[in-house]
Every structure is written in structure tokens, then in C-alpha cells.
Amino acid sequence: MTSAHSKLYSDDVSLVVVVVDTNPFFWAGAALPFADFLSHLIHFVNSLLLLSNLNHVVIIAAGVSSCAYVFDSGNAGASGTADVAETLGKASRKLEELIKQDARETVGNGTVADGGAASLFSGALSLALCYIQRIFRSGSRHPQPRILCVQGSPDGPEQYVAVMNSIFSAQRSMVPIDTCIVGTQDSAFLQQASYITGGVYMKPQELSGLFQYLAAVFATDLHSRTFLRLPKTLGVDFRASCFCHKKTIDMGYVCSVCLSIFCKYHKKCSTCGSEFSRVSMPDLNSLPDQRQ
């Protein structure tokens, strides 16, 4: 595949795919109302489009039970600024409709509807990467791509494998994944995503000034970032999720054939079917905590 840096318009032209957390159960109790968040997001998108008429912005909604494209500036920018504003207005209404529909579908399917429900960021990242690959193959020149994830809900351990596959795919395509956390919990998955792909991870202290954070940190193109002192993550949570119970673990058992991770000893790997030799295996849960 042709690398992302071989056929660009210029150093400061960007393709930004924004993945927005539309988890209805998170926004129902969030400190920042969704209407205010949407206002900050629209101002941020407008600022990106004002930086260059060649900039391209796409918004993907990630809900509990579904994810979908809601805005594409490439479909609205040909006829002028008025069409972009109108399309953004339609995207705002579509986001609100998606939240309501997601809440109905989640309750109807019997899914646990609480503040801890995770959004489908694995599917949204896949959609983002597919869109970027389509742009790569659409012509001889394209903007410089990056992904911005705006997450509020907690991670879903059951999505660990799918999220990591997306992260390594983005790394191979040289697509940075930026992260802006608007919830109370840090995201171990997105910390790893930003660290591995060379993106920026940030959790704003004052959500009332969210637009200032977005404009000052995430609106900068990749070329300009080499001259700026952007926020750096103090520590990255590299813990993995086990394949058997989908729980985040500190220590576990790893299959020597396919590298699947398990929190308890198994005689046979449930992923590749390899049988393990019958040796005396200690119970990791009974070992004393040796972390300093």
C-alpha cells in the first residue's frame, strides 16, 4: 500500500476523522450537557475547515449498539460555506436522533443500560480506517490523515482484540490516533492507541472550555506539531484483557502459539486449539502482589 506521506497536497492539509461517543447512558449523567458538547464540536469542525479550504472533516458516531457516519465535509464543501453550515446542522440533529434510537435499541435488546455501558469504538475505528483507505486509493493526492476520538464512556474489555487490531492497522498506515477524554475515567485502550500511533492523549480539566482545548491541541496539523510542545501522557496503561472472561488483568497465562491471554490456566487454548503440557502451574490470583 502506498504510504500516507507519499502523495499529499501539502504539509498543512489534513483529513480529520472525528469519532464521537454518543453513548446515551453516559450523556444522561455527564457533567457537560450534550447540547453544550455539540456546540463545542461544531465550532471545532468549523475552525478546521477555516484553516484551509482543502481540509476534510468526517464525523462518526459511536453508540452502544451501533456506529455510523453523520458528517462529511467533502459532500458539502463544493457549493460554499452555507451548504457546510446547513450540513453541520443536519449532522447535529442526526447525532441527537442516533442517541435516542440507540437508547431505545439498547433497552429493547435487553442490554445492561447503566452508566458503565461501553460504546462501540472498535467498530467506529474500523469505519474511520476504511474511510481513510478509500481516500488513499481515490487519487494521486490526498490530505494528511489522522483520527480524533472523543470518548466519555468507559472501555469495553470485550472489544480489546478488535481495538488493538485497529490500532496496529493505523500504525501501519501511519495514521495518528488522538484522544480527548470528556468522561471521568481514563481510557487504557486509547492511551495505548495514542502512544503506539504517535497521537496526542489529553483529558481536559475544564470541560466548559472544551473548544479551547480542541482548537489549541487537536486542530494543529501533523507538520506543525513538530514545532509545538503538546501535552504528553504521564503514564500509559498497557494492561490487556483476557480472552476468556474479557476482563482487564495485570498477570495472566499466554498461549505460546497464538499469544491469546487467559486469566486462569486452561488445558487447551480456546482460540487456536493448542493443548498445553500438564505441568505444575501456580495460581496467579493467589500470588502476593509484588508491584512497588
Side-chain angles (χ1 to χ4, degrees):
M1 184 190 70
T2 306
S3 67
H5 298 280
S6 63
K7 46 181 185 178
L8 305 176
Y9 284 124
S10 63
D11 291 333
D12 58 350
V13 178
S14 302
L15 163 62
V16 184
V17 183
V18 185
V19 178
V20 180
D21 192 343
T22 56
N23 189 319
F25 310 110
F26 164 73
W27 289 110
L32 180 69
F34 183 74
D36 295 344
F37 165 77
L38 203 54
S39 176
H40 290 292
L41 180 65
I42 291 175
H43 290 318
F44 171 65
V45 172
N46 282 328
S47 66
L48 287 174
L49 297 176
L50 285 172
L51 287 173
S52 172
N53 61 342
L54 295 177
N55 279 352
H56 192 164
V57 182
V58 177
I59 299 178
I60 299 176
V64 176
S65 59
S66 63
C67 48
Y69 296 100
V70 295
F71 174 76
D72 187 343
S73 64
N75 298 334
S79 301
T81 307
D83 283 352
V84 174
E86 181 181 353
T87 307
L88 273 173
K90 293 180 180 178
S92 302
R93 293 188 292 272
K94 188 173 181 179
L95 280 171
E96 294 174 351
E97 292 173 0
L98 282 174
I99 290 179
K100 296 177 182 178
Q101 180 182 352
D102 197 22
R104 290 194 299 267
E105 291 180 353
T106 305
V107 174
N109 293 336
T111 308
V112 178
D114 56 18
S119 299
L120 287 176
F121 267 85
S122 58
L125 285 173
S126 298
L127 287 178
L129 290 170
C130 287
Y131 188 93
I132 291 172
Q133 291 300 323
R134 189 177 72 183
I135 295 297
F136 282 174
R137 292 167 168 81
S138 62
S140 59
R141 301 179 69 82
H142 57 73
Q144 207 164 23
R146 65 181 186 270
I147 299 173
L148 170 60
C149 295
V150 184
Q151 180 175 350
S153 57
D155 291 332
E158 69 281 356
Q159 302 179 49
Y160 174 74
V161 176
V163 170
M164 293 306 298
N165 286 338
S166 296
I167 293 172
F168 292 131
S169 177
Q171 181 192 33
R172 183 175 181 180
S173 301
M174 292 180 286
V175 178
I177 299 178
D178 298 331
T179 303
C180 180
I181 299 296
V182 295
T184 57
Q185 301 180 21
D186 281 298
S187 169
F189 293 172
L190 293 181
Q191 279 184 344
Q192 296 181 44
S194 297
Y195 178 82
I196 292 172
T197 62
V200 179
Y201 179 94
M202 187 181 67
K203 183 179 179 183
Q205 299 298 320
E206 295 291 338
L207 292 179
S208 58
L210 180 61
F211 169 71
Q212 281 74 15
Y213 289 100
L214 293 174
V217 177
F218 299 109
T220 54
D221 58 83
L222 300 184
H223 178 68
S224 300
R225 292 183 182 188
T226 59
F227 307 101
L228 300 175
R229 294 179 61 88
L230 297 175
K232 293 184 178 180
T233 307
L234 297 179
V236 180
D237 188 353
F238 287 107
R239 291 182 299 171
S241 296
C242 67
F243 285 36
C244 46
H245 299 94
K246 312 300 181 184
K247 295 181 179 179
T248 303
I249 57 175
D250 296 307
M251 295 185 294
Y253 301 92
V254 180
C255 174
S256 59
V257 177
C258 67
L259 303 181
S260 296
I261 304 170
F262 305 98
C263 60
K264 295 182 179 180
Y265 173 70
H266 295 266
K267 295 181 179 180
K268 185 176 181 180
C269 177
S270 60
T271 303
C272 66
S274 300
E275 295 184 358
F276 305 131
S277 58
R278 295 178 177 274
V279 296
S280 177
M281 299 293 294
D283 184 3
L284 295 180
N285 295 326
S286 64
L287 295 177
D289 191 354
Q290 299 179 355
R291 291 174 297 174
Q292 299 295 329

